[in-house]
Structure formats: C-alpha cells, structure tokens
C-alpha cells in the first residue's frame, strides 16, 4: 500500500498550496506564516516520513524516496482539490521537485526554498550516503537531544540565532519532538545521497518555478543560479541577511515574495505549426 502522509489544512484562501517542511520539521513548521498568508491560500501542511505522524516508508534508499513522492501525488488525488501549488523547504523542496517531475499535471506552480535537484556524480552520492549513514548511527547511539544540539550548531543555521529566544525555543521543541528512528530513517530514505538526480529533468520542467534562498547561504544560492539557467519558466530571489531558512528568518519578506509569485499571471503561448508551445509570464515579473 505504501506510506500514507499525515497532514492538516489551514487558511481561508481558495488556492491550494502544499507545504513540505525540512529535515527535523513537521506540519507545524510553517505555522509562523499563517497570519501572513492564511487569507490568500488553502494550505495543506504535510508531515514527511519519519516526522510528525507519518511513518517511514516500507522501503529504504531510492525506493523509499520514490515511495514518498508517490504518496504525495496520491494525497493530492485523494483531496480532490484539482491542481495544487507546491512549496518545499530544503528536504521538502527536493521532494516537491520530484513530485513535479513525477506528475506535472497535478501541480500548478513550484516554490523551492534552499533546495537541490540532487547530486550529479555517482561518487558524490555515495559519499553523501556514507555521511548520512554516519549521522543516522550517531542519532541511534546518542539520541535526539544530542543530535539537535549538534544540528543547531551547524554554520548552515547561523541565521536562526538572531531570532527571539521564544521562537528559537519553539523551533527546538519541534526538533526534539522527533523520534530517534524517525530521524535516522529519514536520512536513509529522503537524504540527498539516495535522491535521484533530477538535473537532467529541469529543462523539461514546464511549471512556473520560484527559487528562494538566503544570500548568506552561498552554497544553495549558487545551486539556485545553476537551476535557474536550466529551468524554462523561473524566478529567483535571494533574501539579504538570511541564511538557509528565509521563511523563519524574514517571514514578512518571504510571504510577499511567495504571494507575488503565486498571484502573477502567466499563460501558455499558442502553438503554431512547426513550433513548440512555450510558457510566458506577464511583464510584471522578470526571470533571472
């Protein structure tokens, strides 16, 4: 039967928007955006496998990743809301892209925050699988609290240290609510090392796509630039003075960018004999 994704909905808007959190998150990870965008969207906030109330897939590795993608497509079908937009952060951004590649007819627009299409070289994927395996072993040996302390100390999350003490404690509580096996299994199922390489799929991708990063996160900002050069219909924005998680570091600016993108008209150019159809945006937005 495959894994079934737990979720909750919020918002008074009519536009369905699936929200996919990052590693150590859950469906509540975007709650801070609810007061800012709840009137504009009908949010479908998902627990990814190993997080919140969603169990791990039956299979590990690449098969488990693809099982998760199929579960997301199945969830959209069960909801019966028609075409939905996708917004994913980090790990969730990678799953969102995979779902858009897997079933582009189910989705309208794609927003990737600090995401990646995968690792192109086999040696890189093998090295990442080994690193994730070592981290999973650390979690199983030392427990969630020790892992969270190590995770929060990474330079990647330096931007989060400027948040208020209350918001940092809420984020820490969400992370500590994860289970040992859930986090370890998620690394083995949804990690970058087991994800298929989607770089070669980007130029086929016709969904209007928004790539968001923090300007201080140089690695993922560079990845976004590379992706923007491959995607046919794309916008890109790097938030100044932000690191890996702009939705937490600059929520007001983040929501303005997201809603501006979702509300920008675009059309499918008419197809004439001897030509192929191309997507175009309104003059109000400029692709990088």
């Amino acid at each position: 039967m495959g894994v079934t994704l737990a979720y909750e909905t919020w918002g008074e808007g009519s536009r369905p928007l699936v929200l996919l959190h990052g590693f150590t998150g859950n469906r509540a990870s975007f709650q801070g955006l609810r007061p800012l965008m709840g009137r504009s969207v009908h949010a479908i906030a998902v627990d990814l496998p190993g997080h919140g109330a969603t169990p791990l897939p039956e299979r590990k590795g690449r098969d488990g990743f693809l099982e998760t993608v199929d579960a997301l497509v199945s969830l959209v079908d069960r909801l019966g809301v028609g075409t939905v937009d996708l917004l994913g952060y980090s790990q969730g951004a990678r799953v969102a892209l995979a779902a858009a590649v897997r079933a582009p007819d189910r989705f309208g627009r794609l927003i990737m925050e600090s995401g990646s299409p995968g690792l192109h070289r086999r040696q890189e994927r093998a090295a990442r699988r080994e690193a994730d395996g070592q981290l999973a072993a650390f979690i199983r040996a030392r427990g969630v609290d020790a892992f969270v302390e190590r995770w929060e100390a990474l330079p990647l999350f330096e931007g989060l240290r400027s948040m208020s003490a209350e918001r940092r404690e809420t984020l820490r509580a969400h992370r500590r609510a994860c289970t040992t096996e859930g986090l370890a299994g998620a690394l083995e199922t949804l990690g970058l090392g087991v994800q298929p390489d989607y770089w070669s799929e980007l130029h086929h991708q016709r969904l209007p796509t928004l790539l968001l990063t923090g300007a201080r996160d140089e690695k993922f900002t560079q990845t976004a630039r590379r992706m923007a050069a491959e995607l046919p219909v794309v916008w890109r924005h790097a938030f100044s003075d932000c690191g890996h998680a702009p939705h937490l570091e600059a929520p007001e600016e983040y929501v303005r960018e997201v809603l501006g993108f979702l509300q920008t008209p675009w059309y499918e150019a008419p197809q004439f004999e001897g030509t192929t159809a191309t997507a175009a945006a309104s003059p109000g937005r400029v692709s990088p």
Side-chain angles (χ1 to χ4, degrees):
M1 294 293 294
V3 67
T4 298
L5 301 176
Y7 70 95
E8 68 179 16
T9 63
W10 51 261
E12 297 76 48
S14 60
R15 186 168 193 142
L17 176 64
V18 172
L19 302 175
L20 302 176
H21 61 80
F23 183 60
T24 75
N26 57 41
R27 71 179 90 170
S29 294
F30 293 97
Q31 277 290 335
L33 304 183
R34 184 172 181 173
L36 301 170
M37 63 191 301
R39 293 184 178 182
S40 301
V41 302
H42 174 68
I44 304 160
V46 174
D47 283 337
L48 289 173
H51 300 77
T54 297
L56 291 167
E58 297 176 356
R59 297 166 290 178
K60 291 186 179 181
R62 178 189 174 99
D63 288 343
F65 185 92
L66 295 176
E67 182 180 332
T68 300
V69 174
D70 287 342
L72 179 58
V73 175
S74 296
L75 172 61
V76 171
D77 289 343
R78 291 200 314 275
L79 291 173
V81 292
T83 300
V84 305
D85 300 317
L86 280 170
L87 186 158
Y89 161 62
S90 196
Q91 173 186 262
R94 294 188 285 105
V95 174
L97 173 62
V101 170
R102 167 74 173 79
D105 57 312
R106 307 299 208 286
F107 306 106
R109 303 193 185 193
L110 172 64
I111 302 170
M112 295 180 64
E113 176 189 357
S114 303
S116 166
L119 298 174
H120 191 57
R121 294 187 176 90
R122 184 181 304 174
Q123 297 90 334
E124 290 178 320
R125 291 196 295 274
R128 182 56 184 260
R129 286 195 301 271
E130 181 178 356
D132 284 346
Q134 292 173 355
L135 187 55
F138 175 89
I139 295 171
R140 291 184 173 113
R142 299 285 301 278
V144 172
D145 286 352
F147 163 74
V148 168
E149 183 176 351
R150 172 177 171 175
W151 187 250
E152 291 182 340
L154 292 174
L156 189 68
F157 302 116
E158 183 178 355
L160 300 178
R161 292 164 202 151
S162 63
M163 296 192 310
S164 68
E166 181 181 0
R167 293 181 64 205
R168 290 199 308 271
E169 188 53 42
T170 298
L171 179 58
R172 183 174 296 114
H174 287 162
R175 287 169 170 166
R176 287 177 171 170
C178 296
T179 66
T180 297
E181 192 53 39
L183 289 181
L187 285 169
E188 296 165 340
T189 302
L190 301 177
L192 190 59
V194 301
Q195 172 189 320
D197 173 17
Y198 291 111
W199 279 103
S200 62
E201 300 290 339
L202 294 182
H203 72 282
H204 297 298
Q205 180 60 256
R206 290 298 184 265
L207 299 186
T209 301
L210 175 63
L211 305 176
L212 300 175
T213 60
R216 291 184 176 179
D217 185 355
E218 296 180 3
K219 175 182 176 181
F220 280 89
T221 297
Q222 180 59 34
T223 297
R225 290 193 186 101
R226 291 177 58 204
M227 292 178 65
E230 300 291 333
L231 288 161
V233 188
V234 62
W235 292 258
R236 184 176 66 82
H237 182 77
F239 297 90
S240 61
D241 298 324
C242 283
H244 191 63
H247 73 283
L248 294 174
E249 299 170 51
E252 292 85 2
E253 184 182 356
Y254 182 89
V255 168
R256 285 197 299 269
E257 194 68 25
V258 167
L259 293 183
F261 169 71
L262 292 178
Q263 294 165 0
T264 296
W266 74 286
Y267 64 91
E268 190 76 16
Q271 186 169 359
F272 301 100
E273 184 176 355
T275 67
T276 57
T278 58
S282 73
R285 304 277 293 179
V286 180
S287 299

